[in-house]
Amino acid sequence: MTRSKGLLLVAVLLSFAFSISQAWAQVDHIVIAAGTDEDHALQAISSEQDNSKKLAMYQDFVQKFSANPQAVAYGNWQIAQTYQANGDFDKALDYGDKAIAASPHDLDILVSQVSVAQQAKNNLKMMDYAAKGGEVCHSIDKQAKPEGMSDSDFAAKVSQEKAASQSNCDFLETTGFNVIATEQDPKNRMTEIEKYSAAFPDSKFSDQVSNYAMYTLGPGQLNDQARLVSFGEKILASNPNSLPALLLLASYYEEDGKPGSAAKAIGYAQKAIEVAKPDAADADKSHKVAAGAAHNTIGWANLKQDKTAAAIPELKSAAALLKGQDDQQYARALYGLGFAYGKLNRLTEAREVLTEAAKIPGPLQPKSQELLAKVNGARAKGN
């Protein structure tokens, strides 16, 4: 495995160098100083050809040097890899956890354990390791500058450490997202989402993760509205420009009905439109649909406050953005326009939009047809 140090790899560095690296870095690296008793013991283990004897020797190594966390981490990691190679994934996970306990910020061990958990088909453990790795990756930027080190030297050190860790960090970030995407159990998926979001707050998969959270907490899955709103607020706290979270909270407060909720809905929706930039030359379908949904929310929030005239331009903007892009959101905009026009006695315009809405299959089709019939009846009476 290219991201692990290999079954027999030992970093042989001077203990002085190790002490300096630990003072500077947040990422652990196993170091066995040359010429030490630990080094001599590992050389003897490496010379052993019988795998069962080698396993026993590693177990003895861990016991003998139990006061040395580096030796404990390395020995348990090698035992874990041996059990992994033998197909005993439960023991591999157990010994790998012991290695992590001794060296909790070692990305190589965490990446190795992800591989074990994947083979064991244990999604929760995969996410545990990925999330722990994410915390380590983000700790690089948060480490304190050692006393006496210049700003430029410290910046260079952090930059070098980030570059050295980038491959592992990318792997853990992608693996964590894949766990969420393939998880079938809603409760487990939400647990994984919460761990992932805390460990990778600025992930390149943030929008997709937010969508999975909304689906998981919504109707048909966990149906937990309070938790859904809490999750959306947490996402916005770390990423104020998250379109899924803005749309989620805008939609929730539009439907909420409590005093002040409509104003909250409109605020979140306006921010979503600002972030989506639907009029930009490079705006893609997803951004146009997001902006259209936000305009829809503002329009309906105004309708529910009897601000009919104010609702119309929002719903017209929604319809323009959603036509041919999202049939159900488009139908909602048209139905809202039909209702608003009818309330203002603009029956010809109401008939026009409702005729189109009535052709779109979906939950609003019967309502659109019913309202269209009422509008046609009012027109026939000369109203």
Side-chain angles (χ1 to χ4, degrees):
M1 185 175 180
T2 57
R3 291 182 177 85
S4 76
K5 297 173 183 173
L7 186 60
L8 295 175
L9 178 61
V10 182
V12 181
L13 297 172
L14 294 176
S15 58
F16 174 75
F18 167 65
S19 65
I20 293 297
S21 70
Q22 290 300 292
W24 287 4
Q26 295 297 310
V27 180
D28 289 343
H29 299 285
I30 294 176
V31 177
I32 305 297
T36 61
D37 290 342
E38 292 91 336
D39 177 39
H40 295 150
L42 287 173
Q43 291 181 36
I45 295 172
S46 299
S47 300
E48 178 57 59
Q49 300 302 310
D50 186 290
N51 286 335
S52 61
K53 290 182 180 179
K54 184 176 291 187
L55 180 60
M57 291 172 75
Y58 272 125
Q59 291 169 334
D60 290 340
F61 175 85
V62 170
Q63 291 297 318
K64 182 177 181 180
F65 300 106
S66 59
N68 181 347
Q70 298 290 296
V72 171
Y74 184 77
N76 280 315
W77 185 19
Q78 302 316 304
I79 295 170
Q81 291 183 322
T82 300
Y83 279 123
Q84 179 187 11
N86 293 338
D88 192 338
F89 303 125
D90 288 340
K91 286 187 177 179
L93 290 172
D94 182 48
Y95 278 95
D97 286 345
K98 292 177 181 179
I100 292 169
S103 187
H105 301 138
D106 192 308
L107 290 174
D108 289 328
I109 299 178
L110 289 166
V111 166
S112 179
Q113 285 300 100
V114 165
S115 174
V116 178
Q118 186 172 28
Q119 288 181 278
K121 302 187 187 310
N122 190 329
N123 276 1
L124 291 175
K125 290 294 285 186
M126 285 180 68
M127 182 56 75
D128 282 345
Y129 298 133
K132 287 177 182 177
E135 293 170 2
V136 175
C137 293
H138 282 83
S139 74
I140 298 173
D141 275 329
K142 297 177 181 178
Q143 60 185 288
K145 186 180 75 170
E147 186 177 352
M149 181 179 290
S150 69
D151 290 343
S152 59
D153 285 347
F154 180 60
K157 181 67 179 73
V158 170
S159 178
Q160 291 168 7
E161 191 170 325
K162 288 174 67 175
S165 303
Q166 193 63 53
S167 177
N168 280 338
C169 292
D170 288 345
F171 173 78
L172 292 165
E173 181 181 358
T174 301
T175 297
F177 173 70
N178 289 339
V179 169
I180 293 169
T182 57
E183 179 61 70
Q184 298 301 309
D185 183 279
K187 290 183 179 179
N188 286 348
R189 188 189 308 119
M190 200 59 223
T191 297
E192 291 155 1
I193 287 171
E194 289 173 335
K195 288 182 178 180
Y196 185 88
S197 299
F200 299 99
D202 54 355
S203 171
K204 58 180 174 286
F205 302 111
S206 290
D207 283 352
Q208 295 98 311
V209 171
S210 295
N211 285 331
Y212 275 113
M214 288 184 281
Y215 167 71
T216 303
L217 292 171
Q221 293 276 297
L222 298 181
N223 196 25
D224 189 336
Q225 288 296 309
R227 196 175 174 190
L228 183 61
V229 172
S230 176
F231 180 83
E233 290 172 344
K234 287 179 182 177
I235 292 298
L236 288 182
S238 61
N239 178 15
N241 293 330
S242 170
L243 266 176
L246 289 167
L247 293 173
L248 158 69
L249 293 174
S251 176
Y252 172 80
Y253 284 114
E254 181 220 314
E255 299 289 342
D256 187 41
K258 296 177 182 176
S261 289
K264 288 183 179 181
I266 290 171
Y268 284 121
Q270 288 173 335
K271 176 64 174 178
I273 295 167
E274 177 187 327
V275 171
K277 299 179 182 178
D279 297 326
D282 59 348
D284 58 15
K285 176 179 176 178
S286 65
H287 285 77
K288 290 180 179 179
V289 169
H295 279 295
N296 236 351
T297 294
I298 297 172
W300 276 93
N302 282 322
L303 283 178
K304 291 173 182 178
Q305 297 179 93
D306 291 326
K307 297 179 180 179
T308 308
I312 288 175
E314 296 292 342
L315 294 169
K316 288 177 70 175
S317 294
L321 286 165
L322 295 165
K323 185 175 183 179
Q325 305 293 331
D326 186 317
D327 285 348
Q328 298 312 306
Q329 284 280 352
Y330 179 52
R332 188 170 190 252
L334 294 175
Y335 179 74
L337 275 172
F339 180 86
Y341 285 139
K343 193 170 183 179
L344 296 178
N345 206 31
R346 294 163 62 174
L347 300 182
T348 299
E349 291 165 290
R351 179 178 182 274
E352 180 181 341
V353 294
L354 288 169
T355 297
E356 188 168 354
K359 297 176 184 177
I360 302 173
L364 285 175
Q365 188 174 41
K367 291 184 177 182
S368 297
Q369 292 169 340
E370 181 182 353
L371 186 55
L372 176 60
K374 291 179 180 179
V375 167
N376 285 335
R379 291 180 78 243
K381 291 178 182 179
N383 293 332

